[in-house]
Amino acid sequence: ENFDDTDTTPMFWEITDNAGTGQIWEIGVTTDGLVGTSGNYAYINSFIHGSGGYQDSDLITPRLNLRGFQEVSVSFIHYFRQYPQASEAILAYSIDDGENWHTVQNWLTGTTNPAHFQQTIPEVCGQTEVLFKWNYTGSGGYHWCVDNIEISGELVELPAPAELTASAGYQAVELNWAGVNSDNLLGYNIYRNNARLNSEPIIDVNYSDTDVTMGFSYTYQITALYSAGESDPTDSAVVLLELKPPTNL
C-alpha cells in the first residue's frame, strides 16, 4: 500500500481512535514529514495538537489469509520523529483477527528519514486471520509517517492425505490413510464430526479412536499440517458402531 490513490482511509483498512480524542492517523503529507517517497503516505502528527493533546491510534491492514504462504515478511519505509519521552511507535501483528496482538518492534527513539524496515515473521505463516497494525501513542511529540507497506511471502502447495478408511470395532474406530511424502510435513490432524481430536500433530498414518459410544455414527476426515498451513481434508469416512444382539444364548 502506497496511499497514493486516496486521501482517506484505504478500502478495508482501519484507523482507530483508542484515546477518543479525534487525534488519529491521516492520509496525505505533513510538514517536515517523510522523504524518499512520492505522493501521499500515512501519518499521525502529535506536534500540531500541542502538549495538551494525546494520541493513541492504530493503522490496521485488511484481514489477510496467509494459508499456504511461508517466509512471510513485512516491509515499509517510515520516519519516526520523537520528542524525548513524548511518544512511542509500535508495529504488531495478530493471528486471530485482532483479539490478541504481538509486538514485532517498538521505537522509543527517532529514526533516520527515511528508515527502511523489513522483517520475516514466521508466526503468521499459514494463518488465516492475520492483521498488522502501526500504533502511535504520544503527547506533545512530533510524528510518525509510514509508506510503501508490503506484505509478501512464498506460496507453496499443501499436499493432502488420501484414502481414509474407518473400521468399526467394539468401543473403538480404527482409522488408516495414505500419508504425504513431504519434507515440510509437521503431521496430521484428525477430525471427528468436524471437531479436531488431537492436540498435537499425529505422526503416524493410523489412529485408534476409543472415545466413542456403541450405537452412534461418526464422520472422520484427515488433514496434513505444514508450517504454511493446513491442507484440504480427505474425503469423509463414515462409520456406525452397531449394537448387535447377543448370540449363542
Side-chain angles (χ1 to χ4, degrees), residues 62 97 155 183 219:
D97 202 26
L155 182 61
D183 293 338
T219 301

Side-chain angles (χ1 to χ4, degrees), residues 66-70 125-127 154 156 158 186 226-230:
L66 299 181
R67 179 177 180 264
F69 283 89
Q70 63 183 16
C125 296
Q127 301 295 325
E154 178 187 0
V156 297
L158 304 175
L186 300 178
Y226 306 87
S227 59
E230 192 172 14

Side-chain angles (χ1 to χ4, degrees), residues 81-193:
R81 186 181 180 192
Q82 194 222 34
Y83 191 84
Q85 299 180 341
S87 59
E88 181 179 9
I90 297 175
L91 170 67
Y93 70 87
S94 171
I95 58 174
D96 53 13
D97 202 26
E99 288 294 320
N100 298 280
W101 290 96
H102 311 275
T103 297
V104 176
Q105 185 164 331
N106 68 324
W107 291 266
L108 294 171
T109 58
T111 68
T112 58
N113 186 14
H116 296 260
F117 180 89
Q118 191 279 329
Q119 185 169 322
T120 300
I121 305 175
E123 292 84 358
V124 304
C125 296
Q127 301 295 325
T128 60
E129 296 184 321
V130 177
L131 300 172
F132 288 91
K133 76 173 180 179
W134 289 256
N135 170 260
Y136 179 93
T137 56
S139 178
Y142 284 113
H143 53 244
W144 194 17
C145 309
V146 178
D147 201 9
N148 295 347
I149 297 170
E150 182 175 334
I151 298 160
S152 60
E154 178 187 0
L155 182 61
V156 297
E157 292 186 2
L158 304 175
E163 301 175 16
L164 173 63
T165 62
S167 303
Y170 180 74
Q171 296 285 19
V173 175
E174 302 299 329
L175 303 174
N176 292 273
W177 60 91
V180 171
N181 183 15
S182 171
D183 293 338
N184 298 319
L185 178 69
L186 300 178
Y188 301 96
N189 284 332
I190 300 171
Y191 292 87
R192 183 185 66 200
N193 298 344

Side-chain angles (χ1 to χ4, degrees), residues 44-67:
I44 182 166
N45 192 329
S46 180
F47 183 78
I48 62 174
H49 300 292
S51 59
Y54 180 70
Q55 304 82 45
D56 182 354
S57 180
D58 298 326
L59 173 69
I60 305 176
T61 66
R63 182 195 300 166
L64 306 172
N65 183 348
L66 299 181
R67 179 177 180 264

Side-chain angles (χ1 to χ4, degrees), residues 1-15 24-29 40-43 59:
E1 177 61 62
N2 62 19
F3 304 103
D4 286 344
D5 295 332
T6 182
D7 56 4
T8 60
T9 307
M11 185 176 296
F12 304 120
W13 286 67
E14 182 182 3
I15 291 174
I24 60 175
W25 286 91
E26 301 178 64
I27 309 299
V29 297
N40 291 341
Y41 47 81
Y43 72 90
L59 173 69

